Amino acid sequence: MNIPKELKYSKDHEWVKVEGKVAIIGVTDFAQSQLGDVVFVELPDESGTVKVGDGFSVIESVKAVSDIYAPVSGKIVKVNQALTDTPDLINQEPYGEGWIVVIEMSDSSELDDLLDSDAYAQLVAEGGH
């Protein structure tokens, strides 16, 4: 199981890579392994806004349909259009080309509520809930 140390994690299995005022967001290696083969990704509107906990995307796999929740609040400034034609990038590169959105954070203190890699690894070890 790949859990990069430099990222933050939500209890809903999203990862967050912070670059200044923006957060790049995707789903974790654990999440994509639980989903199975991803066949469709519903992307949010570029320029929409989200609040922590809002569902902003939907991933459909051969096993399930899963909502993706915002781990931070802010304005969506970029969406990964490559997922429209190649949704399985989420399976192949969950921490790379499989990212979902970039959000310009409105409150960076929300990052304090996310898990570090060790806490996320413990969550996964306990069954992922």
Side-chain angles (χ1 to χ4, degrees):
M1 182 88 33
N2 186 7
I3 304 175
K5 294 272 186 214
E6 70 276 11
L7 303 177
K8 297 272 194 181
Y9 299 89
S10 75
K11 291 180 180 173
D12 295 316
H13 306 287
E14 290 88 18
W15 58 262
V16 178
K17 180 179 182 182
V18 178
E19 292 185 350
K21 293 182 180 179
V22 300
I24 303 165
I25 298 164
V27 297
T28 65
D29 189 30
F30 175 79
Q32 72 79 22
S33 71
Q34 295 296 300
L35 286 167
D37 294 336
V38 175
V39 295
F40 177 76
V41 179
E42 180 183 309
L43 295 168
D45 289 334
E46 203 164 289
S47 80
T49 58
V50 292
K51 290 185 177 154
V52 166
D54 285 354
F56 68 85
S57 179
V58 176
I59 294 177
E60 186 175 327
S61 72
V62 293
K63 291 184 184 177
V65 175
S66 298
D67 288 321
I68 307 304
Y69 300 100
V72 295
S73 302
K75 181 181 178 196
I76 297 170
V77 293
K78 190 173 184 182
V79 298
N80 188 353
Q81 296 295 344
L83 296 177
T84 302
D85 295 327
T86 319
D88 64 336
L89 284 173
I90 288 175
N91 296 119
Q92 297 168 18
E93 296 184 53
Y95 301 114
E97 295 302 313
W99 62 274
I100 299 171
V101 295
V102 178
I103 294 176
E104 185 178 303
M105 295 180 287
S106 57
D107 183 359
S108 61
S109 71
E110 292 171 341
L111 295 169
D112 297 339
D113 295 330
L114 298 175
L115 306 174
D116 65 15
S117 59
D118 292 336
Y120 183 70
Q122 184 173 348
L123 175 79
V124 170
E126 292 170 355
H129 302 292

